[in-house]
């Protein structure tokens, strides 16, 4: 009998990883679904540092739903520890991995360099990064990309098909037909399901046949505000910031959220409703991803692109003329001389690193500043502390008073809300077993109760739980 073991993103949002063991004729075939980075605090750091043990040498394939680091960020560590088999993903995911994993390795190297300087001064043992650029290059060489709807034969007689998840470029719902106990069992993993109200991405595909469903539950306890209300709130915040004379800080994920925010800013600009003089995209990775989105615009929602008539040209200057892309550290630091009238979009989205921290140092203690939170903030992150109302936070070794006005605008989420999640899983015939992953316990329990009312048996697995298909 084939089995599935939950190794990550259980009762938490990050660290996606599931081990599929297929009972073949003479031996067990092992496939890994996802290999994500844990995010949020020292517990996450310890989980990321933990060795894979014998797993890299036992695996025959890795299957990846999309390129966000909480789904893909430990792949180079897996390769560093000995994995050399194929990594199956979509073409969009392969292109994003090249940008994201290289950036992650670069940041790790810098962080370890600073940490080791302190350790050397204090007589502590030195540490190594989880992986290096050479590990990323080896990882990318193992990637095999496939189109949506294209059946792919994997070891152990497993068949893989990717379906559009509508979350970010290349994101996929993973469908696996798995031999088990003399039958074929259909396992469907939602990956991260997109929000149908969000722009640029197409709506998530609905599937109708499954025996077992792994479903994300990030927003299992609530729906997002309607997009038109969200946009009005966003526009009002920008107007208030202009009146107060301060800057607007937007910590944004480099993939997906940044491109959506730029889209909405461009709409406001062309409607004559954007009073700010400059918009800075202060993230080298987000700049590369934005350029990739333009190159891959044929994969995006054509109706959204028509709004600004850029589908044919992809001209970023027409898209948002006041946009400035700051690639270098010197350009980023120069932004700190601007005391008002600017919108600054910078990573990281959960404020747990990146250039947004530097802008916090210069803007967070000003009452005229508007801090706009546009994405999910995992427990243990600086962003979560601020959203939860912290009056003081520690940023880059300094204690800062949070005097900026904080606005949480959840309607920009690239994740499906509660109603969309129920609609997606409700489309399956014959009520398959559901396992809720990628969610905090409260959100998972709320979704579990609603699913049970609909006649769908839903379980909330724990780390290490193993189930038969």
């Amino acid at each position: 009998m084939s089995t599935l073991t939950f190794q990550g993103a259980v009762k938490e949002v990050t660290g996606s990883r599931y081990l599929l063991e297929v009972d073949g004729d003479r031996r067990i075939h092992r496939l890994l679904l996802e290999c994500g980075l844990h995010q949020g605090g020292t517990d996450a750091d310890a989980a990321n540092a933990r060795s894979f043990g014998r797993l890299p040498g036992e695996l025959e394939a890795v299957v990846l739903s999309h390129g966000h680091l909480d789904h893909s960020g430990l792949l180079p560590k897996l390769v560093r520890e000995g994995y050399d088999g194929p990594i199956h993903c979509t073409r969009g995911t392969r292109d994003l991995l090249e940008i994201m994993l290289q950036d992650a390795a670069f940041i790790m190297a810098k962080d370890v360099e600073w940490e080791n300087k302190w350790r050397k001064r204090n007589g502590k043992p030195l540490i190594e990064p989880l992986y290096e650029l050479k590990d990323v290059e080896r990882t990318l060489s193992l990637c095999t990309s496939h189109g949506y709807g294209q059946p792919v034969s994997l070891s152990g007689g497993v068949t893989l098909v990717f379906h559009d998840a509508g979350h970010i470029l290349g994101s996929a719902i993973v469908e696996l037909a798995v031999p088990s106990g003399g039958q074929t069992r259909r396992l469907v993993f939602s990956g991260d399901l997109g929000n149908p109200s969000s722009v640029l991405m197409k709506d998530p595909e609905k599937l109708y046949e499954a025996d077992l469903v792994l479903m994300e539950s990030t927003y299992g306890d609530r729906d997002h505000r309607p997009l038109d209300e969200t946009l009005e709130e966003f526009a009002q915040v920008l107007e208030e910031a202009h009146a107060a004379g301060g800057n607007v800080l937007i910590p944004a994920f480099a993939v997906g959220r940044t491109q959506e925010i730029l889209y909405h800013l461009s709409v406001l600009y062309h409607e004559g409703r954007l009073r700010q003089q400059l918009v800075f995209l202060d993230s080298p990775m987000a700049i590369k991803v934005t350029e990739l989105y333009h190159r891959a615009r044929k994969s995006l929602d054509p109706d959204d692109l028509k709004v600004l008539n850029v589908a044919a040209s992809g001209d970023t200057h027409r898209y948002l003329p006041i946009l400035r892309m700051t690639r270098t550290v010197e350009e980023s630091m120069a932004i700190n001389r601007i005391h008002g009238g600017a919108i600054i979009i910078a990573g990281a989205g959960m404020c747990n690193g990146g250039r947004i921290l530097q802008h916090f140092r210069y803007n967070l203690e000003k009452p005229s500043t508007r801090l706009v939170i546009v994405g999910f903030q995992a427990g243990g992150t600086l962003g979560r502390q601020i959203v939860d109302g912290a009056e003081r936070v520690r940023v880059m070794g300094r204690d800062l008073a949070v005097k900026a006005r904080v606005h949480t605008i959840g309607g920009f989420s690239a994740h499906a809300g509660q109603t969309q999640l129920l609609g997606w899983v409700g489309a399956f015939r014959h009520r398959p077993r559901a396992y809720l992953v990628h969610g905090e316990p409260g959100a998972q329990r709320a979704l579990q109760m609603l699913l049970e009312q609909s006649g769908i048996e839903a379980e909330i697995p724990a780390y290490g739980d193993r189930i038969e298909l």
Side-chain angles (χ1 to χ4, degrees):
M1 187 72 70
S2 298
T3 63
L4 183 76
T5 304
F6 296 88
Q7 298 187 339
V10 286
K11 300 183 180 179
E12 63 171 329
V13 175
T14 66
S16 188
R17 194 164 93 218
Y18 315 97
L19 176 63
L20 180 63
E21 294 177 285
V22 182
D23 188 7
D25 293 335
R26 293 184 175 86
R27 64 186 180 91
I28 299 296
H29 301 270
R30 293 178 175 86
L31 294 83
L32 195 65
L33 177 58
E34 313 282 80
C35 193
L37 195 72
H38 296 266
Q39 296 169 313
T42 54
D43 289 346
D45 293 340
N48 291 330
R50 199 173 296 129
S51 170
F52 284 107
R54 294 179 300 176
L55 185 64
E58 295 175 342
L59 288 175
E60 296 180 43
V62 174
V63 177
L64 200 62
S65 70
H66 68 286
H68 273 149
L69 291 180
D70 60 323
H71 291 255
S72 69
L74 285 185
L75 279 173
K77 183 173 184 289
L78 187 75
V79 171
R80 184 185 182 100
E81 293 186 17
Y83 179 68
D84 61 358
I87 298 170
H88 298 279
C89 59
T90 67
R91 177 57 188 269
T93 294
R94 165 61 179 78
D95 291 342
L96 283 175
L97 286 178
E98 184 169 1
I99 298 170
M100 300 185 72
L101 295 179
Q102 287 178 351
D103 184 78
F106 176 79
I107 292 173
M108 281 181 199
K110 289 294 183 183
D111 289 346
V112 167
E113 181 182 350
W114 280 102
E115 174 74 10
N116 280 339
K117 285 181 180 179
W118 177 87
R119 286 174 170 268
K120 192 172 183 179
R121 287 197 304 267
N122 291 274
K124 304 286 185 181
L126 302 184
I127 60 173
E128 291 186 356
L130 297 178
Y131 50 82
E132 300 172 295
L133 282 172
K134 63 181 181 181
D135 303 308
V136 172
E137 294 306 317
R138 288 170 57 204
T139 301
L140 295 173
S141 71
L142 298 175
C143 288
T144 303
S145 59
H146 312 282
Y148 293 128
Q150 173 187 339
V152 181
S153 296
L154 306 182
S155 58
V158 176
T159 300
L160 160 70
V161 181
F162 288 123
H163 304 272
D164 195 345
H167 177 58
I168 62 170
L169 184 67
S171 62
I173 299 162
V174 178
E175 179 183 7
L176 295 169
V178 183
S180 182
Q183 303 179 58
T184 297
R185 297 294 183 184
R186 198 173 300 275
L187 166 65
V188 173
F189 172 49
S190 69
D192 283 353
L193 291 174
N195 180 356
S197 297
S198 63
V199 296
L200 298 178
M201 294 294 104
K202 298 174 182 176
D203 289 353
E205 289 186 42
K206 287 187 176 180
L207 280 66
Y208 301 97
E209 301 295 336
D211 298 294
L212 186 150
V213 176
L214 304 186
M215 187 171 74
E216 71 124 317
S217 52
T218 309
Y219 289 97
D221 57 346
R222 60 196 185 275
D223 280 326
H224 306 304
R225 290 182 65 187
L227 184 59
D228 56 351
E229 293 181 17
T230 298
L231 292 177
E232 281 306 310
E233 180 184 5
F234 186 45
Q236 186 61 38
V237 170
L238 298 179
E239 183 66 31
E240 289 178 7
H242 174 73
N247 290 324
V248 179
L249 303 184
I250 306 179
F253 299 103
V255 182
R257 197 63 44 83
T258 289
Q259 291 71 42
E260 184 172 5
I261 293 299
L262 288 174
Y263 177 92
H264 292 305
L265 288 173
S266 65
V267 170
L268 291 173
Y269 175 87
H270 288 286
E271 290 177 349
R273 301 179 63 193
L274 190 60
R275 304 283 294 277
Q276 277 76 14
Q277 299 300 307
L278 287 170
V279 175
F280 292 98
L281 180 51
D282 189 26
S283 164
M285 183 169 72
I287 292 169
K288 291 178 182 177
V289 172
T290 300
E291 292 169 342
L292 173 60
Y293 266 61
H294 279 287
R295 293 196 300 272
R297 55 190 175 273
K298 289 183 180 179
S299 301
L300 306 180
D301 190 325
D303 292 334
D304 290 332
L305 294 179
K306 286 177 184 175
V307 171
L308 294 174
N309 194 29
V310 297
S313 67
D315 187 344
T316 55
H317 295 289
R318 287 173 54 201
Y319 193 79
L320 185 57
I322 61 173
L323 176 63
R324 302 292 181 269
M325 297 188 179
T326 52
R327 301 174 193 269
T328 68
V329 172
E330 291 76 18
E331 290 172 326
S332 176
M333 293 176 66
I335 299 172
N336 296 321
R337 296 196 291 266
I338 300 175
H339 302 291
I343 298 171
I344 304 166
I345 306 168
M350 296 185 192
C351 312
N352 55 338
R355 292 183 178 181
I356 194 66
L357 300 182
Q358 186 73 18
H359 299 303
F360 277 3
R361 288 185 60 183
Y362 287 86
N363 293 274
L364 201 59
E365 295 190 309
K366 296 178 181 178
S368 61
T369 298
R370 298 296 183 267
L371 173 58
V372 183
I373 302 294
V374 295
F376 183 83
Q377 305 298 305
T381 61
L382 176 59
R384 183 62 166 265
Q385 292 177 42
I386 293 173
V387 167
D388 287 346
E391 296 182 356
R392 301 190 69 86
V393 292
R394 191 160 184 81
V395 178
M396 300 176 71
R398 293 177 56 182
D399 286 321
L400 299 178
V402 182
K403 296 182 179 178
R405 187 167 296 179
V406 180
H407 301 267
T408 301
I409 303 182
F412 286 133
S413 177
H415 284 264
Q418 184 186 76
T419 298
Q420 286 87 28
L421 290 172
L422 291 170
W424 183 80
V425 73
F428 287 101
R429 304 184 183 101
H430 313 303
R431 296 291 187 261
R433 283 186 295 160
Y435 290 84
L436 303 184
V437 295
H438 282 280
E440 294 185 342
Q444 292 184 322
R445 287 192 296 270
L447 185 60
Q448 181 186 40
M449 290 176 60
L450 288 174
L451 288 171
E452 288 176 352
Q453 292 172 15
S454 303
I456 298 174
E457 178 186 348
E459 297 185 31
I460 301 173
Y463 181 85
D465 281 359
R466 189 181 187 192
I467 60 172
E468 293 184 347
L469 270 62

